[in-house]
Amino acid sequence: MQDFEYTAPTSLEGVIGLLSETWGETEIYAGGTDLVTCLKQGLTAPRRVVSLRNVKELKGITILDDSIEIGAATTLTTLLGNAELAKHATALIQAIEGINSKQMINVGTLGGDLCQRPRCWFYRNGYGLFGIEDGKSLIEDGDNRYHAIFGNDGPAKFVSASSTGPALIALGASLIVSGPEGERTIAAWDFFQTPQSESDRETALKSNEVLTKIIIPKNETQSATYEIRHRAGLDWPYVTASVAIGKEGTKVVLGHVAPTPWVSDAAGKALNGRVKKADAEKAGEVAAEGATPLSQNAYKVAMVKTAVKRAVLRATGQEEEA
Ligand SMILES: Cc1cc2nc3c(=O)[nH]c(=O)nc-3n(C[C@H](O)[C@H](O)[C@H](O)COP(=O)(O)OP(=O)(O)OC[C@H]3O[C@@H](n4cnc5c(N)ncnc54)[C@H](O)[C@@H]3O)c2cc1C
């Protein structure tokens, strides 16, 4: 690991002032559960690491009349213990429960979960975000069993690793980011982006911006997340589905199937407020339409159907045995 300066300012302004305008020169450290691995694996070699640990304004949950505000550096464990979130953001809480590792959630933060880097094994082994060697995609011809089945027609074929991202999109959350030019609000959906070049990142954040707050509206929604996993904890799911069913319609958002969380408007429309088992099944079928699996991951298409169906049933209290 390359030497770097470590600093832990006590204010948001202090953090922003220490960040570089160029990605990779500085990195933000929240809980460090992903960043430290990235440093050790040489995926990033910054000259400075800026910790959020002493910035009180980035921590905690504020309950307002019409929304819930979460500081980006709030640990996932803190969120799990909050009754208002359990009520108004069930899909988020269930996504965090899925992580199912005390070590991760006691230290990991919501902001860190949203900004974690892809887990693609080609990326993690030094072949870049697009897994290219000698101009050839190692992913297309290689072991792509955990890669994308949607949105994979460009060079990015990894999947977004965040389980909380799909839940926040389904719940209609907004994210607040702060940088030298002030504050801006980004819809959770717009926060995630598919890199087009190796120097791009997977979110709309600039290198000198900090994700400061996540705002979840207190809508009257029934929501749920359903994950399909290889094992319960210390791993990422194969596929997740987060759904939110409210007066304004139904949102269906898939996780771990594309370089960003993947919204299925068609599945939401197919449901159109109807939530019988046959409707849930139909929504699953519709959500899986248009998938473009790679050579080894067609199994994920069937999982999408099941995850969506079970998320809808879970949100509406009709949970079926796995
Ligand atoms: C074995 C294992 C299993 C896991 N399983 C799951 C899973 O099933 N689902 C899931 O969603 N996650 C899973 N995770 C990921 C885990 O949830 C994240 O590592 C954790 O949430 C990251 O939080 P952190 O605070 O430690 O982030 P850090 O490691 O500190 O940061 C992660 C990244 O986010 C950036 N960052 C952090 N905070 C901010 C901010 N406020 N503003 C701007 N940039 C920021 C950092 O610079 C860094 O690039 C797993 C991790 C491990 C190691």
Side-chain angles (χ1 to χ4, degrees):
M1 194 193 301
Q2 183 184 291
D3 286 358
F4 54 81
E5 172 196 338
Y6 171 83
T7 168
T10 52
S11 70
L12 177 59
E13 254 176 24
V15 171
I16 293 167
L18 288 164
L19 294 174
S20 166
E21 282 180 17
T22 309
W23 277 120
E25 284 192 358
T26 56
E27 295 285 358
I28 292 173
Y29 181 120
T33 57
D34 185 32
L35 182 73
V36 171
T37 313
C38 291
L39 292 169
K40 283 185 179 168
Q41 293 176 330
L43 300 177
T44 182
R47 62 179 165 75
R48 177 186 294 143
V49 168
V50 186
S51 171
L52 304 181
R53 62 177 302 151
N54 294 330
V55 188
K56 289 206 180 79
E57 63 199 283
L58 293 179
K59 296 179 189 175
I61 303 168
T62 310
I63 311 294
L64 302 171
D65 285 347
D66 57 357
S67 65
I68 302 174
E69 295 189 355
I70 303 170
T74 307
T75 65
L76 297 171
T77 294
T78 307
L79 304 187
L80 271 191
N82 188 282
E84 288 288 304
L85 282 172
K87 183 174 166 197
H88 295 286
T90 317
L92 174 67
I93 294 303
Q94 290 173 349
I96 297 170
E97 283 168 352
I99 298 173
N100 203 25
S101 152
K102 287 257 188 295
Q103 295 101 314
M104 277 311 127
I105 65 171
N106 283 350
V107 180
T109 63
L110 183 57
D113 189 84
L114 295 169
C115 299
Q116 62 180 295
R117 307 302 311 276
R119 302 305 302 191
C120 164
W121 44 34
F122 297 104
Y123 169 60
R124 296 272 165 173
N125 282 289
Y127 293 99
L129 270 181
F130 304 150
I132 304 276
E133 189 179 46
D134 299 332
K136 261 191 89 197
S137 168
L138 295 171
I139 301 170
E140 265 171 38
D141 302 325
D143 192 339
N144 51 39
R145 74 188 108 148
Y146 301 131
H147 286 77
I149 57 166
F150 289 103
N152 55 6
D153 51 344
K157 305 196 190 301
F158 60 80
V159 296
S160 170
S162 174
S163 302
T164 60
L168 289 173
I169 293 170
L171 292 164
S174 307
L175 309 188
I176 310 294
V177 306
S178 287
E181 272 121 58
E183 201 171 83
R184 58 193 182 107
T185 304
I186 308 175
W189 164 241
D190 289 326
F191 184 70
F192 296 94
Q193 61 185 23
T194 302
Q196 299 302 322
S197 82
E198 283 287 346
S199 54
D200 289 348
R201 293 249 172 147
E202 307 82 45
T203 69
L205 274 176
K206 294 183 190 145
S207 59
N208 55 2
E209 287 182 323
V210 184
L211 171 59
T212 57
K213 227 185 268 176
I214 295 93
I215 302 179
I216 302 174
K218 273 184 172 175
N219 292 333
E220 290 303 316
T221 51
Q222 293 173 292
S223 74
T225 293
Y226 189 91
E227 302 187 326
I228 300 179
R229 287 178 170 267
H230 174 61
R231 57 181 176 181
L234 285 176
D235 210 340
W236 282 258
Y238 294 124
V239 168
T240 67
S242 291
V243 302
I245 303 166
K247 285 197 194 100
E248 294 91 40
T250 301
K251 273 253 175 244
V252 176
V253 189
L254 304 173
H256 309 271
V257 295
T260 61
W262 193 256
V263 178
S264 176
D265 285 331
K269 283 199 188 107
L271 276 167
N272 198 18
R274 295 182 300 264
V275 292
K276 293 218 173 95
K277 191 170 171 196
D279 306 315
E281 227 156 59
K282 173 78 185 153
E285 297 283 337
V286 171
E289 281 168 11
T292 51
L294 302 169
S295 58
Q296 296 183 22
N297 64 6
Y299 72 94
K300 281 190 167 196
V301 178
M303 287 184 174
V304 165
K305 296 180 190 175
T306 302
V308 169
K309 177 182 80 175
R310 291 194 176 159
V312 172
L313 295 178
R314 195 174 194 195
T316 51
Q318 309 172 75
E319 203 155 356
E320 58 176 25
E321 288 293 311

